Amino acid sequence: MIDKDGYRPNVGIVICNARNEVFWGKRVRQNAWQFPQGGIKPGENPEAAMFRELREEVGLLPEHVRILGRTRNWLRYEVPREWVRKDWRSHYRGQKQIWYLLRLTGRDCDVCLRATDHPEFDAWRWSTYWDPVQAVVEFKREVYRSALEELEKYLPPVHPPRIRHPYLHPARMHAGRP
């Protein structure tokens, strides 16, 4: 489905962990990394498309994540002509995306890149929040920057782990003394 201006409706997904690092996926058999993303099917709303793409590309279910925020409006990027399928070249310009910021509430082991018969990624890692802007293919950089800027306000602060003195740990307390 391509709109009258030549853009395919799409969702982009930024998954963050408790340290506000983001999921960064390596495309199958390529040296290209990106956030999960995918097209919105006719009759599907952006949130439903996001959860479908999340399951298909990353293997995560709604119970593994919490929505922290989304972009207010569509963000667009144009795809270089040489990257466009020949049968689409007359009317396809690129993608328009609604971006979601999710918090992983499950565990890293809940990620399953082989959730479908046609995996999108063959590897993944956690990356610092802003690293993907410079690492993604050039024609997507401005959209990544815009999405991360708008979504950053939804990131909760990261609290350093509490370190307890080993001698004061309740399991080591005996007769009121450490």
Side-chain angles (χ1 to χ4, degrees):
M1 178 170 82
I2 298 173
D3 72 12
K4 63 180 177 48
D5 297 320
Y7 291 94
R8 180 175 170 244
N10 190 285
V11 291
I13 307 169
V14 180
I15 307 164
C16 66
N17 64 17
R19 293 178 307 278
N20 289 343
E21 297 168 319
V22 293
F23 175 97
W24 196 225
K26 182 184 158 301
R27 294 186 52 93
V28 171
R29 294 182 298 278
Q30 296 179 32
N31 189 25
W33 293 74
Q34 70 176 49
F35 289 128
Q37 68 175 56
I40 299 173
K41 294 180 177 181
E44 190 175 45
N45 67 48
E47 186 173 312
M50 181 272 297
F51 280 121
R52 179 182 49 75
E53 290 293 337
L54 184 68
R55 182 183 46 77
E56 290 175 1
E57 294 190 4
V58 185
L60 294 175
L61 302 173
E63 57 265 25
H64 295 129
V65 298
R66 181 170 38 104
I67 298 174
L68 298 178
R70 64 161 266 184
T71 56
R72 286 185 314 264
N73 300 308
W74 296 103
L75 301 177
R76 291 171 173 76
Y77 68 83
E78 294 194 13
V79 175
R81 187 168 170 78
E82 63 271 13
W83 290 49
V84 177
R85 290 180 5 195
K86 287 183 182 172
D87 57 328
W88 282 19
R89 285 193 182 155
S90 63
H91 59 285
Y92 177 75
R93 290 178 65 186
Q95 308 233 26
K96 66 179 186 180
Q97 300 176 310
I98 295 291
W99 283 82
Y100 287 87
L101 176 64
L102 308 178
R103 166 74 78 212
L104 179 66
T105 57
R107 302 168 301 170
D108 286 6
C109 64
D110 293 325
V111 172
C112 177
L113 301 182
R114 304 263 180 250
T116 66
D117 292 336
H118 303 286
E120 189 79 22
F121 303 117
D122 58 17
W124 72 277
R125 65 180 177 176
W126 292 114
S127 182
T128 64
Y129 189 78
W130 288 103
D131 279 351
V133 172
Q134 291 306 312
V136 73
V137 65
E138 189 173 350
F139 65 87
K140 293 183 181 182
R141 283 187 187 151
E142 183 57 28
V143 164
Y144 271 48
R145 187 194 57 71
S146 296
L148 290 174
E149 273 183 3
E150 187 173 344
L151 296 172
E152 186 177 32
K153 67 185 173 201
Y154 299 112
L155 279 177
V158 175
H159 299 291
R162 287 184 45 195
I163 300 172
R164 295 182 182 194
H165 193 284
Y167 297 108
L168 299 179
H169 192 276
R172 293 183 179 239
M173 299 293 274
H174 302 284
R177 294 183 357 201

